[in-house]
Amino acid sequence: GAGVSQSPRYKVAKRGQDVALRCDPISGHVSLFWYQQALGQGPEFLTYFQNEAQLDKSGLPSDRFFAERPEGSVSTLKIQRTQQEDSAVYLCASKDSSGIYEQYFGPGTRLTVT
Amino acid sequence: GNSVTQMEGPVTLSEEAFLTINCTYTATGYPSLFWYVQYPGEGLQLLLKATKADDKGSNKGFEATYRKETTSFHLEKGSVQVSDSAVYFCALSDRNTNAGKSTFGDGTTLTVKP
């Protein structure tokens, strides 16, 4: 079946621009996670949704970062007034209610802020 | 808080050599442990997992044993192939946190030469 998809795969933004990154989780998966992966590092947790409810946003680095999942399916991560330190790969993962914390990852969106 | 420490890379081996990638963790609760693999140009894929002490996860010839006494989850393979060249991430999910958000190590790059 279809896995987690993300779009765009690559995004170049000028400093100060707003960007929106999309995640389509596996159909029926209740949980959705966003992670940020800087070059040469492991993914770091940003935020978590259970259906449409954002239950944990403790990893969002600033109030410029905002995520939503209004219908409990597709999610969008928005970054306002991008800065160079926002350059990273943004990963989305989804999980169903039965897996023992097994998350399925999308290919990521590579964001470069110039 | 939770943390994962992986053996630093890069690791370069000849085909059919024995592989060990060390991973140790710190967790406030009783975590599940994972190894993920990221092939060039692809997303993170779950390689294997273990959910309780002394469990052994295995897949594609790779193995890792959950050692609670040493807080370790070292990845091993008896005979590596060129196709195993990838970045390997050790991760944990703490059952006490929201739906098992994951904490990752920084990754170890493996290159296998023919």
Side-chain angles (χ1 to χ4, degrees), chain B:
Chain B
N2 296 336
S3 67
V4 174
T5 302
Q6 277 183 245
M7 171 175 136
E8 286 190 23
V11 174
T12 302
L13 295 173
S14 297
E15 207 164 21
E16 298 182 5
F18 185 85
L19 169 71
T20 300
I21 301 177
N22 290 339
C23 171
T24 57
Y25 67 90
T26 302
T28 53
Y30 189 170
S32 295
L33 302 175
F34 305 86
W35 277 98
Y36 286 86
V37 59
Q38 189 169 34
Y39 297 104
E42 298 185 17
L44 282 169
Q45 300 175 26
L46 180 66
L47 180 60
L48 53 83
K49 66 186 178 194
T51 58
K52 61 183 188 296
D54 300 325
D55 267 3
K56 179 187 281 189
S58 60
N59 186 27
K60 299 181 181 179
F62 291 89
E63 293 182 339
T65 301
Y66 190 143
R67 299 288 187 200
K68 194 167 183 224
E69 64 277 13
T70 55
T71 61
S72 65
F73 193 54
H74 305 321
L75 182 69
E76 296 183 336
K77 186 174 185 182
S79 176
V80 293
Q81 305 300 311
V82 172
S83 57
D84 294 327
S85 297
V87 183
Y88 292 82
F89 292 92
C90 185
L92 69 82
S93 288
D94 190 336
R95 300 156 202 240
N96 293 327
T97 62
N98 287 323
K101 70 182 183 185
S102 293
T103 301
F104 288 82
D106 283 339
T108 301
T109 300
L110 170 66
T111 301
V112 180
K113 299 196 168 182

Side-chain angles (χ1 to χ4, degrees), chain A residues 61-104:
Chain A
S62 77
D63 58 8
R64 297 185 295 103
F65 286 71
F66 173 76
E68 60 184 6
R69 194 186 185 197
E71 296 178 359
S73 176
V74 171
S75 178
T76 304
L77 177 67
K78 297 179 180 178
I79 308 173
Q80 297 176 323
R81 304 180 305 282
T82 52
Q83 304 295 315
Q84 282 196 316
E85 61 263 28
D86 300 335
S87 295
V89 175
Y90 290 85
L91 297 169
C92 176
S94 71
K95 184 177 80 69
D96 66 21
S97 57
S98 61
I100 303 180
Y101 310 119
E102 181 174 335
Q103 300 178 23
Y104 295 85

Side-chain angles (χ1 to χ4, degrees), chain A residues 2-113:
Chain A
V4 178
S5 61
Q6 292 186 245
S7 61
R9 292 291 311 275
Y10 304 90
K11 176 70 179 177
V12 178
K14 290 189 191 304
R15 191 162 59 95
Q17 283 185 331
D18 298 348
V19 298
L21 313 179
R22 177 188 169 105
C23 172
D24 282 85
I26 293 172
S27 178
H29 276 194
V30 170
S31 301
L32 186 146
F33 302 81
W34 283 98
Y35 293 87
Q36 181 189 59
Q37 186 176 15
L39 189 64
Q41 296 183 16
E44 301 232 351
F45 170 79
L46 292 177
T47 187
Y48 157 65
F49 290 85
Q50 185 170 317
N51 295 307
E52 69 278 5
Q54 189 174 19
L55 299 186
D56 187 345
K57 52 183 181 179
S58 61
L60 296 177
S62 77
D63 58 8
R64 297 185 295 103
F65 286 71
F66 173 76
E68 60 184 6
R69 194 186 185 197
E71 296 178 359
S73 176
V74 171
S75 178
T76 304
L77 177 67
K78 297 179 180 178
I79 308 173
Q80 297 176 323
R81 304 180 305 282
T82 52
Q83 304 295 315
Q84 282 196 316
E85 61 263 28
D86 300 335
S87 295
V89 175
Y90 290 85
L91 297 169
C92 176
S94 71
K95 184 177 80 69
D96 66 21
S97 57
S98 61
I100 303 180
Y101 310 119
E102 181 174 335
Q103 300 178 23
Y104 295 85
F105 282 83
T109 295
R110 182 178 297 277
L111 172 66
T112 303
V113 181

